[in-house]
Amino acid sequence: MTVSASGPVLVPILGDQLSPDISSLADRKPDDTIILLMEVAEETTYVRHHKAKIALMLSAMRHFAEELRVAGWTVDYVKLDDPANTGSFTGEVTRAVDRHGARGVQVTEPGEWRVRQAIEHWRRDLPVRVRILPDTRFICPLPDFYEWAAGRKELRMEWFYREMRRKTGLLMEGDKPVGGRWNFDAENRDGPKSGLQPPALPAFKPDAVTRDVLKLVSTRFAKHFGSLEKFGWPVTRGQAKTARDDFLKHRLPLFGKYQDAMVAEQDFLFHAVLSPAINIGLLDPLDLCRRAETEWREGRAPLEAVEGFIRQIIGWREYIRGMYWLEMPDLADANGLDATRPLPDFYWTGETDMRCLADCVRTTRDNAYAHHIQRLMVLGNFALLAGLKPQDVADWYLVVYADAFEWVELPNVAGMVLHADKGRLASKPYAASGAYIDRMSDYCGKCAFNVKKKTGEGACPFNALYWHFLDRNEKKLSDYHRLAQPYATWRRMAEDKRAAYLESAEAFLATLTPAQTGWARA
Ligand code: FAD
Ligand code: DLZ
């Protein structure tokens, strides 16, 4: 291997690090640096990502390479179909060190544990010094999160969020929250209004680069889940900014009010639909929050919407990232509720008579997107109530969404949805019967099942599954303060009614067909 003391420094930039101000470039000069971007088979197939996610990644990487070149950097770009491509980050970095006679490697820490392990091995195996730098695009450095978590019995997001408000000064007046409250969620829980017509999202027509990628993906990854037909994700920084401005102007004012609402075939409602752009580095999360704050300060959006939005980003997003690194690697195997049922096939096919689930799988397949409440209270709630195996569920979420990276997917799945982490992240499982879905959506009216019917033929399966879940987890969950009321109701219920619930749930669970293997992992 060729190593030269006077060679350049190699800066590998991973597919979710597409930010010109990434820490690995902060102290570099163009005349002494080679930037390496690598399309590698291992990243496209360690889980068999939705086709649209692969297309988004490859197109955004190719556009970013051009952005860097225009800014004066030397970029070495390895394409997926390059015959010499070894197929892994490690193989490509090893080859590039040799090719350029690099004197060192400098990389921003990756978002995923799996990749972090690989990069640690570079330190041992490469003949040059490897520097790993913190990812400064997050607002809370990991050491600060660990310090916040140390010694606390309960790691609740709400307390962390307040610290982040103080740290950033967002929506603060001195040391007090604007409006006299930290959280305006009470104003934010409207169900769907009939005829609710959200504004259309801006459409980004694929350019020549994206068209090439779409062709590559549709042939090479033909068997992966998902459709490319509606592909319209922003793939350049300019497009991401257009998407951001469109959200701030047209959807932010009603973001809070309809944040928890679900409407069949209205796939985006008033959500930002910016998570892929934020996660891969096309948008800066703090800048986005400051712009949202300006919308409130200048009277264009109400406080409850802006506070709710900012909380998702400086609160939930940062907290989830901290929890991932705090809890890994154990989180990946966590199964606190001993759930063992395999993932049913309808998560892939969408073939179920439960209209809410069918619609959520449809938008997932068509858009590589479902909004938060669909992920949490329909797809996730079903997984929790039916006792689906956490690792199957986590693989599914990692495959199907354009914004899915393990650091953000896994704590949401194992912690927020499945309670597999025994409540480290959420103070109680988000379990709900059909009544919740009926209140927050328009799904139930035209569903083959009757949400008002509790048990027996034609009853909404969520109703019996809810009590089945509580009953089978009674030893683990009945001490939870926030579940005291449902457990009291369950215990007061007549024996025959309880038996009917359990029987109905068992009968429904027996109808589920496990998914074939090979959808998520080869
Ligand atoms: P909005 O609803 O408009 O929210 C604004 C922003 O807040 C999002 O773009 C996102 O950056 C942030 N945000 C909101 N909620 C969360 C959260 N719980 N965790 C982290 N960030 C949050 N988000 C991902 O980015 N990647 C994932 O892989 C992912 N997996 C999820 C899995 C499950 C089971 C659940 C319940 C949630 C998951 N989320 C994930 C969080 C959330 O659902 C998505 O961030 C959101 O739906 C993205 O759409 P949006 O940009 O329209 O978000
Ligand atoms: C998700 C993804 C995909 C599909 N392909 C690539 C790729 O070819 N090259 C690359 O650099 N990154 C890709 N990514 C994103 C990586 O999986 C992500 O950067 C790491 O998991 C670290 O979070």
Side-chain angles (χ1 to χ4, degrees):
M1 178 170 279
T2 323
V3 177
S4 155
S6 60
V9 168
L10 183 74
V11 176
I13 294 192
L14 311 182
D16 56 357
Q17 298 182 341
L18 310 183
S19 317
D21 55 355
I22 192 83
S23 58
S24 52
L25 287 180
D27 65 353
R28 300 307 316 149
K29 295 269 177 312
D31 60 2
D32 191 26
T33 303
I34 304 282
I35 296 177
L36 176 69
L37 280 129
M38 312 154 264
E39 296 177 2
V40 290
E42 200 165 274
E43 294 311 300
T44 55
T45 49
Y46 74 93
V47 290
R48 306 181 81 190
H49 302 286
H50 191 301
K51 294 187 195 81
K53 178 178 177 189
I54 302 178
L56 164 69
M57 295 304 309
L58 302 191
S59 177
M61 285 172 65
R62 290 179 186 194
H63 282 99
F64 183 58
E66 195 45 35
E67 183 186 342
L68 290 170
R69 285 187 186 115
V70 169
W73 295 98
T74 303
V75 180
D76 183 357
Y77 194 99
V78 182
K79 284 196 169 170
L80 200 58
D81 50 11
D82 179 338
N85 190 329
T86 56
S88 71
F89 284 149
T90 299
E92 286 317 291
V93 170
T94 309
R95 275 199 325 128
V97 166
D98 190 35
R99 190 159 63 239
H100 298 290
R103 71 171 191 279
V105 170
Q106 173 154 312
V107 65
T108 293
E109 63 189 350
E112 301 194 344
W113 177 271
R114 172 185 64 83
V115 182
R116 176 85 204 200
Q117 300 313 300
I119 293 181
E120 291 294 346
H121 284 127
W122 300 355
R123 286 190 155 148
R124 190 193 62 197
D125 297 339
L126 290 178
V128 294
R129 180 166 175 250
V130 176
R131 268 182 94 198
I132 306 175
L133 295 151
D135 191 340
T136 50
R137 298 171 304 167
F138 288 94
I139 301 156
C140 180
L142 287 173
D144 291 10
F145 188 86
Y146 300 148
E147 197 184 315
W148 173 80
R152 276 174 200 262
K153 222 169 114 221
E154 292 204 315
L155 303 178
R156 294 293 161 246
M157 195 290 292
E158 188 61 30
W159 303 113
F160 171 76
Y161 167 57
R162 293 179 190 187
E163 300 268 324
M164 296 298 285
R165 288 272 294 277
R166 289 191 188 97
K167 176 179 168 152
T168 57
L170 281 161
L171 299 179
M172 296 295 289
E173 264 156 13
D175 60 353
K176 299 265 182 314
V178 298
R181 275 191 285 153
W182 293 100
N183 184 317
F184 287 80
D185 242 3
E187 277 90 327
N188 273 347
R189 295 216 174 98
D190 281 25
K193 210 171 64 188
S194 94
L196 188 63
Q197 197 58 51
L201 295 187
F204 299 105
K205 209 167 157 251
D207 64 4
V209 172
T210 303
R211 286 199 301 276
D212 268 0
V213 165
L214 291 174
K215 212 185 291 168
L216 171 78
V217 173
S218 61
T219 46
R220 186 158 168 164
F221 304 101
K223 295 217 167 104
H224 285 217
F225 175 78
S227 162
L228 286 173
E229 264 168 46
K230 293 189 178 171
F231 187 89
W233 288 108
V235 292
T236 65
R237 202 167 314 285
Q239 290 178 345
K241 287 178 179 171
T242 303
R244 174 199 69 198
D245 294 346
D246 183 80
F247 164 68
L248 293 173
K249 186 162 177 204
H250 298 299
R251 299 194 302 287
L252 176 64
L254 287 177
F255 170 84
K257 197 170 167 65
Y258 294 116
Q259 198 182 348
D260 286 2
M262 295 177 278
V263 180
E265 296 187 17
Q266 290 290 355
D267 298 339
F268 310 106
L269 291 175
F270 294 88
H271 290 272
V273 200
L274 294 175
S275 47
I278 301 170
N279 292 352
I280 67 177
L282 298 183
L283 290 179
D284 173 46
L286 186 55
D287 172 72
L288 177 59
C289 290
R290 296 216 185 284
R291 286 169 191 273
E293 180 181 28
T294 301
E295 293 303 295
W296 169 68
R297 291 205 182 272
E298 296 185 0
R300 291 186 292 272
L303 181 55
E304 68 270 15
V306 172
E307 186 281 316
F309 180 71
I310 287 176
R311 174 157 28 91
Q312 303 313 309
I313 296 189
I314 66 168
W316 277 111
R317 185 172 186 272
E318 294 285 328
Y319 167 79
I320 286 281
R321 189 247 185 170
M323 289 300 283
Y324 174 76
W325 287 103
L326 189 69
E327 304 286 291
M328 280 299 278
D330 296 350
L331 189 62
D333 298 319
N335 193 358
L337 297 181
D338 298 316
T340 55
R341 190 176 305 282
L343 192 83
D345 65 348
F346 71 73
Y347 273 81
W348 299 110
T349 65
E351 287 168 19
T352 164
D353 289 337
M354 296 173 77
R355 187 166 179 244
C356 53
L357 283 162
D359 190 59
C360 292
V361 175
R362 181 205 49 77
T363 175
T364 302
R365 184 195 60 222
D366 290 356
N367 303 308
Y369 177 87
H371 62 72
H372 183 67
I373 215 70
Q374 294 175 314
R375 297 188 203 194
L376 179 65
M377 297 310 295
V378 178
L379 297 156
N381 187 34
F382 185 90
L384 173 74
L385 299 189
L388 305 187
K389 193 173 156 206
Q391 289 69 33
D392 280 12
V393 180
D395 272 0
W396 184 82
Y397 277 95
L398 191 55
V399 165
V400 300
Y401 293 116
D403 59 22
F405 295 90
E406 195 187 67
W407 68 263
V408 52
E409 167 271 324
L410 186 59
N412 271 298
V413 170
M416 194 182 305
V417 162
L418 296 180
H419 220 66
D421 65 345
K422 299 188 179 169
R424 288 276 287 169
L425 192 138
S427 56
K428 74 165 187 119
Y430 283 88
S433 69
Y436 174 88
I437 296 172
D438 193 27
R439 192 165 64 249
M440 299 312 297
S441 79
D442 71 348
Y443 286 135
C444 304
K446 291 189 190 150
C447 183
F449 293 100
N450 180 354
V451 70
K452 302 276 189 264
K453 195 167 177 222
K454 306 293 183 205
T455 57
E457 187 85 2
C460 169
F462 274 110
N463 292 333
L465 287 175
Y466 175 75
W467 293 115
H468 191 271
F469 165 77
L470 286 181
D471 183 64
R472 71 172 187 271
N473 289 299
E474 188 161 5
K475 278 207 184 99
K476 294 192 172 94
L477 299 179
S478 63
D479 286 345
Y480 279 54
H481 171 64
R482 296 182 65 193
L483 291 177
Q485 205 198 340
Y487 273 113
T489 307
W490 181 236
R491 286 177 195 131
R492 272 199 312 270
M493 211 180 274
E495 196 55 42
D496 59 338
K497 211 169 158 190
R498 284 166 51 134
Y501 272 125
L502 298 182
E503 214 173 283
S504 270
E506 291 289 345
F508 172 77
L509 290 170
T511 67
L512 296 175
T513 311
Q516 288 180 354
T517 53
W519 275 108
R521 291 183 192 260

